[in-house]
Amino acid sequence: MPLFYLMHIVHLLTVILWIGGLAFVTMIMLPMAISTPDPLQKVLTFQRVEHRFARLARVYNLVTGISGLIMMFLMGWHRYLFTLQGLPLTIMFLIWVFWFVMLFGLEPIVIKKMLENLAKSGNKMDIDAVFKRMNRLHWIMVLISLAAAVAGALVAHGPFSLY
Ligand code: HEM
């Protein structure tokens, strides 16, 4: 099924760019921002990276979701959603929904505003507390995304494989 193979490659490459980018922001950018002594500089550096990455991540989210859904319907696997055998597929789908809500709902409305307010307030205590929370949140998001990738591998191989 050529379309399935094509979507599989598109899905995998997009997931690599997405999780790789998220890991870079979490493991390199955020610690760099946190170690910046000037509070305003700290917020502005992170704000610029986060905005650019969030824009890309929205594209990655759409491409991953569309290619995943096409593969799922091509194989008739939608019947397994929310069943025990389809557990990894369901987990991958729900993690995708979580990301969709984060990227299209929370990021532009809540996180963007929060960073703008922080930059305006310039309060060092507030900024340090928010960055600590943001650091934890980013690590959780990396782990959740890796869980989706593990779920993807389990759809293809192992006791929960749908083949
Ligand atoms: C956070 C979002 C997602 C991530 C990180 C992710 C990750 C992955 C990975 C790494 C694979 C490759 C598995 C392999 O070949 O060993 C995969 C395959 C697949 N994914 Fe996703 N996925 C996501 C969202 C979705 C969504 C929303 C759907 C559709 C409901 C979906 C459906 C599929 C299907 C049908 C496969 C093919 C399994 C196969 O035959 O290899 N994925 N996914």
Side-chain angles (χ1 to χ4, degrees):
M1 226 188 289
L3 182 59
F4 182 87
Y5 300 137
L6 180 67
M7 288 301 111
H8 198 178
I9 290 169
V10 168
H11 196 71
L12 264 184
L13 294 184
T14 314
V15 162
I16 288 169
L17 288 174
W18 184 2
I19 302 183
L22 177 64
F24 181 81
V25 171
T26 307
M27 294 170 192
I28 313 278
M29 255 320 293
L30 201 46
M32 267 176 73
I34 287 173
S35 66
T36 306
D38 178 45
L40 188 60
Q41 191 63 38
K42 191 195 294 258
V43 179
L44 291 180
T45 310
F46 183 67
Q47 195 182 28
R48 288 177 63 195
V49 173
E50 188 81 350
H51 281 3
R52 275 178 160 251
F53 183 65
R55 233 181 293 147
L56 275 178
R58 277 193 277 275
V59 176
Y60 297 148
N61 178 267
L62 289 180
V63 176
T64 306
I66 291 167
S67 53
L69 288 171
I70 291 176
M71 281 193 284
M72 184 175 75
F73 281 106
L74 279 176
M75 299 301 275
W77 288 341
H78 53 283
R79 289 176 282 119
Y80 293 110
L81 272 182
F82 304 104
T83 66
L84 185 61
Q85 195 181 352
L87 191 62
L89 186 68
T90 309
I91 291 173
M92 195 157 48
F93 176 69
L94 290 178
I95 291 175
W96 180 85
V97 172
F98 158 81
W99 269 115
F100 184 83
V101 172
M102 284 290 287
L103 289 165
F104 288 91
L106 283 188
E107 201 283 333
I109 296 164
V110 181
I111 297 177
K112 206 171 159 186
K113 283 254 157 61
M114 187 181 77
L115 285 172
E116 277 166 12
N117 288 343
L118 270 185
K120 263 184 233 149
S121 86
N123 184 324
K124 189 172 169 0
M125 296 282 274
D126 284 355
I127 292 174
D128 284 348
V130 168
F131 268 78
K132 220 178 242 167
R133 220 179 316 140
M134 212 136 53
N135 197 13
R136 216 174 314 131
L137 188 72
H138 273 75
W139 272 104
I140 292 171
M141 292 191 302
V142 169
L143 293 178
I144 287 177
S145 306
L146 290 177
V150 171
L154 290 177
V155 171
H157 310 281
F160 286 96
S161 167
L162 295 179
Y163 284 100

